[in-house]
Amino acid sequence: MSHLTFYEKVYEIVAQIPKGNVMTYGQIAALAGKPNASRAVGHALRVCPEKLELPCHRVVNTRGYLSGGKAFGGMEIQKQLLVQEGIKVSEDYCIDLERYLSWNQQICGK
């Protein structure tokens, strides 16, 4: 990943998130080499070319809340996509990070 732009690194990382799991914007930023750039990760996903068909709905904030605003067509759409993959989403649009982040702890060096 050394010669890729930050956005390309973000897209490469997001593409690897398996069904039934999530990552946070901050984790992706850190893996892409800019640990303080979680907002830039959000921007990268907002402008992501549709042809990449990335599972952007698998990205949540640091507390496990789904993306606000119009991302993925809104929080309800993101919730539906996550539920279809077996992820339990609470009524307040939050997931259990301890349960669904476990896959990437090895990648993140934890």
Side-chain angles (χ1 to χ4, degrees):
M1 277 202 280
S2 61
H3 294 96
L4 300 177
T5 68
F6 177 75
Y7 280 21
E8 290 169 332
K9 290 177 186 178
V10 167
Y11 300 152
E12 187 173 276
I13 293 164
V14 172
Q16 295 179 53
I17 305 172
K19 287 183 180 179
N21 293 273
V22 298
M23 286 188 81
T24 67
Y25 293 98
Q27 287 175 310
I28 295 167
L31 288 173
K34 293 187 177 187
N36 296 317
S38 56
R39 288 181 186 251
V41 170
H43 185 264
L45 297 180
R46 276 192 301 280
V47 300
C48 175
E50 286 187 35
K51 67 181 179 183
L52 295 180
E53 297 183 13
L54 295 178
C56 298
H57 64 282
R58 297 181 190 146
V59 182
V60 298
N61 79 16
T62 191
R63 295 181 312 206
Y65 286 95
L66 307 189
S67 301
K70 297 178 182 177
F72 325 108
M75 285 194 299
E76 192 58 40
I77 299 295
Q78 185 179 12
K79 178 180 178 178
Q80 290 172 12
L81 292 169
L82 292 171
V83 168
Q84 288 173 3
E85 295 182 358
I87 295 176
K88 293 184 181 180
V89 181
S90 69
E91 289 181 16
D92 62 345
Y93 299 96
C94 190
I95 64 165
D96 179 356
L97 288 179
E98 287 187 28
R99 181 172 181 183
Y100 299 109
L101 282 177
S102 62
W103 79 272
N104 63 37
Q105 289 181 356
Q106 292 175 342
I107 294 172
C108 294
K110 295 182 181 180

